Amino acid sequence: MARVDCSKICPEWPCEQPEEFKGVWVVAETDDDGVVEASLQMLTPALRIAEKLGEPVTGILLGPPGVSKLADELIKHGADEVIVVEDEALKDYYPDVHGAVVAELARRYKPSTILIAATSRGREMAPYIANTLRSGITADCTDFDVDEKTRDVLLIRPPFAAIMLAYIRTPTRRPQIGTARPNVFPVPPRDETRQGRVRLEKVDVPKPRARLVSRRKLERREVPIEKAEVVVAGGRGLGGPEGFKLLERLAALLGGVVAGSRKAVDAGWIPPERQVGQTGRSVKPILYIAVGISGAAQHMIGVREARRIVAVNIDPDAPIFNQADYGVVGDYREIIPALIEELEELKKRGPRAIEEILAEQIETAEPGSP
Ligand SMILES: Cc1cc2nc3c(=O)[nH]c(=O)nc-3n(C[C@H](O)[C@H](O)[C@H](O)COP(=O)(O)OP(=O)(O)OC[C@H]3O[C@@H](n4cnc5c(N)ncnc54)[C@H](O)[C@@H]3O)c2cc1C
């Protein structure tokens, strides 16, 4: 690998040679239930990058004394080792404090790559780490690869307003930092036999610049769309908020939730936390029913992990039919009531008749399989 000529890079930044940086890190977020699923999902691209670079995968865990008991969860899902910082001052999350601790660990260990799930916390902390380390960051990646010649990680994401993909690299700075939204990658399979090293590190934890006054858990009345097994989504083709009432009925029969395209959100027909896609959320249901949605790339990115896609669209040439497993051409105002009627009939056969059909789908369908 060619050595970097530091005189050509910002003179205020410390000179760095990429070849001196090794290891792929996943900064793990935790909550009351353990390591959050979105962080475990980041082990999938981490393992792929690490294999191509021939480097280990390391999980980073920060928290109060006792957090190290969660290290095993990262190891069982593929991490080779876990670096843990336990400190009472890490009990509450502050982006500047947690970010400073990760940055300090990165100065000590010099990883080549740091991946962070783009949860609200990850989105806040990742740029903080990148700026502290004077390195680059690519947010909301939809894929990662490695340029085998230069050993640069390729951080892949759709650029704004485009159908193509941008391959972004950080050629002269390390670590290479990337985030990906929850549900863009699956959690690697758990392997009970995996063993790994757990290192306890001491870091001087800085004082936060803000103070947590109180914490309140939001009561969710509905299942969030990212967790739903059935998602019925509506787009601009619904023509107004009334169309969503029909979708609510269909979703209720299927035990699912309602979501929408950005056009539906922009029109105020459905709240922003129900938007699917690049600037919304990624979903991974067994069944995704897209009604009056054209199938723009920015929307379809959010349904990559859906097992079965059913599209209802009046236009036989709508792009969504190229990606749907089943397509129904027609006016949703006729198709959806007919479907509701059929399902209501089916339900009369037994309270679990619909669930049984869906369960069959779980067994036979793989994500993205036609
Ligand atoms: C940077 C950027 C980020 C974006 N992020 C997102 C995102 O996160 N999520 C997202 O969804 N979009 C996103 N978009 C917007 C995206 O490009 C599309 O504009 C949007 O997805 C289109 O929404 P739609 O399919 O509801 O509307 P349209 O494209 O207008 O499609 C409406 C569809 O409804 C059909 N239709 C009309 N009447 C009926 C009827 N009676 N019955 C059945 N079908 C009917 C039409 O044939 C058409 O196919 C983003 C765009 C940009 C530039």
Side-chain angles (χ1 to χ4, degrees), residues 73 82 314:
E73 190 64 10
V82 180
I314 205 162

Side-chain angles (χ1 to χ4, degrees), residues 160-161 235-237 260-264 275-280 292-296 298-299 312-315 318 330-333:
F160 288 110
R236 183 155 63 175
S261 71
R262 179 154 132 187
K263 294 279 178 194
Q275 180 184 319
V276 173
Q278 185 185 328
T279 42
I293 292 178
S294 58
Q298 294 91 353
H299 183 83
V312 178
N313 200 300
I314 205 162
D315 175 5
D331 189 326
Y332 85 91
R333 285 167 290 205

Side-chain angles (χ1 to χ4, degrees), residues 1 16 18-19 21-25 49 53 55 106 110-116 126 129-130 133-138 141 144-147 150-155 168-179:
M1 198 191 302
E16 270 171 7
E19 73 219 27
F21 289 71
K22 294 217 167 17
V24 181
W25 283 13
I49 296 169
L53 290 174
E55 296 177 2
K110 295 187 155 200
S112 67
T113 313
I114 301 182
L115 302 185
I116 304 175
I129 297 167
L133 297 173
R134 296 283 185 254
S135 191
I137 174 165
T138 304
C141 296
F144 298 89
D145 205 348
V146 170
D147 178 334
T150 62
R151 295 174 61 78
D152 287 336
V153 172
L154 301 170
L155 302 120
I168 299 165
R169 55 176 93 210
T170 316
T172 57
R173 305 296 302 174
R174 292 290 184 269
Q176 307 157 97
I177 303 173
T179 69

Side-chain angles (χ1 to χ4, degrees), residues 13-92:
W13 291 1
C15 182
E16 270 171 7
Q17 297 303 326
E19 73 219 27
E20 290 164 11
F21 289 71
K22 294 217 167 17
V24 181
W25 283 13
V26 171
V27 180
E29 185 178 324
T30 60
D31 63 14
D32 297 344
D33 299 324
V35 177
V36 303
E37 191 180 347
S39 296
L40 295 176
Q41 290 168 349
M42 293 312 285
L43 287 165
T44 291
L47 286 162
R48 202 184 312 147
I49 296 169
E51 194 188 349
K52 290 198 172 176
L53 290 174
E55 296 177 2
V57 171
T58 302
I60 305 296
L61 257 181
L62 315 181
V67 76
S68 58
K69 67 176 188 294
L70 302 178
D72 199 46
E73 190 64 10
L74 291 160
I75 291 166
K76 295 280 184 280
H77 285 285
D80 298 297
E81 62 167 12
V82 180
I83 299 173
V84 186
V85 181
E86 290 191 336
D87 196 307
E88 202 48 46
L90 293 168
K91 186 165 152 276
D92 291 323

Side-chain angles (χ1 to χ4, degrees), residues 188-207:
R190 191 182 167 87
D191 178 352
E192 291 301 336
T193 63
R194 274 188 68 84
Q195 304 280 331
R197 179 173 175 183
V198 179
R199 295 171 192 253
L200 279 172
E201 273 284 335
K202 286 254 166 285
V203 173
D204 283 334
V205 179
K207 292 237 169 318

